[in-house]
Amino acid sequence: MPGLFRSVTLRGEKAARLSWGYQTAAVLRTWALSKSDKGEWTLTAGIDRADPFRLKQTPLQFTAPRPGGFFCFPVRAVTLGKESLIASLGPPEH
Amino acid sequence: MSRFVTPTEVRLPISDGDYLIVKERLNLGDATERTARMLNAEGTAVDPLKYGRAQVQTYLVDWSLTDAAGRIVSIREEPPAVVAAALENLDPEDFREILEAIEAHEQRMTAAREEKKSTRSGATVPAAISPSLVAVGGGMSGSRS
């Protein structure tokens, strides 16, 4: 896990989503996950489709495929734009 | 009680130690999708043969079922076509068991909801102002694929 680094940015292009339980709140087209030197994770993503109601519910979870599994982060807050979103994330879950 | 459906999962045990993960309740989008799945090719009428598949596919979130090699056939977050293909390849008796488990779950949820409604403070039962379409044209309950 990238906890070894002070700051890091991960990028992806498909199959990432924000979920509210089994419901999909947003399907992301491209995404970038960055960790600041203060340890704060931020997601910036282009949106393929999004459900504004579900994006306001809790708990939300960000998942994205990685080799051998998935990135999985709790979502603390989401700002929804027209074609993109920015989310503040908690620490990775697994 | 919120009028919005929270996406809660329920685990339903079936035979041989297997289980289904299903939606506790359907929301309007789910219910509309279920009806759409039951329509005939022209989209003009409900095809009773599609009832079972529509009911199962709408409720099912995941399961423990494995293929012949013992690998779990995960259907969580898979596209509807992938889930439909998995269902089509089930043994018909096993499909029926899954359908019956989901129907029993739906009946329990409906009964629980009716119970809550009847005990909700301040609730009143409105008088009927016209016969329902079900009463006029007959319901769909009881038909299965």
Side-chain angles (χ1 to χ4, degrees), chain A residues 4 31 48 50 75 77 83 87:
Chain A
L4 296 169
W31 55 270
D48 193 29
V75 176
E83 294 181 348

Side-chain angles (χ1 to χ4, degrees), chain B:
Chain B
M1 188 174 85
S2 172
R3 294 179 187 273
F4 292 97
V5 176
T6 302
T8 304
E9 298 178 4
V10 174
R11 181 169 161 147
L12 302 180
I14 56 174
S15 61
D16 298 331
D18 279 321
Y19 61 85
L20 313 173
I21 305 286
V22 301
K23 297 170 185 173
E24 183 185 58
R25 291 166 58 193
L26 301 185
N27 62 20
L28 176 63
D30 295 325
T32 305
E33 207 168 82
R34 176 174 62 180
T35 305
R37 287 186 174 124
M38 293 182 199
L39 295 178
N40 61 16
E42 295 76 32
T44 54
V46 166
D47 179 350
L49 290 176
K50 293 184 175 179
Y51 166 80
R53 292 174 180 83
Q55 180 77 334
V56 170
Q57 188 161 0
T58 305
Y59 266 98
L60 204 53
V61 175
D62 205 357
W63 56 20
S64 64
L65 274 55
T66 56
D67 63 15
R71 295 170 301 209
I72 288 181
V73 180
S74 178
I75 53 172
R76 184 181 287 274
E77 294 185 359
E78 291 291 350
V82 173
V83 179
L87 293 177
E88 291 300 316
N89 282 283
L90 283 172
D91 179 283
E93 286 303 310
D94 291 315
F95 177 81
R96 179 164 297 280
E97 182 186 2
I98 290 170
L99 174 59
E100 287 173 358
I102 287 174
E103 287 187 316
H105 163 70
E106 185 176 59
Q107 285 164 12
R108 284 192 300 272
M109 290 298 106
T110 302
R113 191 163 167 77
E114 290 304 315
E115 174 72 19
K116 274 186 183 174
K117 270 186 190 172
S118 66
T119 56
R120 194 184 289 169
S121 62
T124 55
V125 179
I129 54 173
S130 63
S132 72
L133 287 176
V134 171
V136 172
M140 283 189 46
S141 59
S143 54
R144 290 181 186 166
S145 65

Side-chain angles (χ1 to χ4, degrees), chain A residues 1-19:
Chain A
M1 208 60 223
L4 296 169
F5 305 96
R6 265 181 181 272
S7 65
V8 65
T9 300
L10 305 165
R11 294 178 196 282
E13 287 191 355
K14 57 182 177 180
R17 68 181 65 216
L18 298 184
S19 301

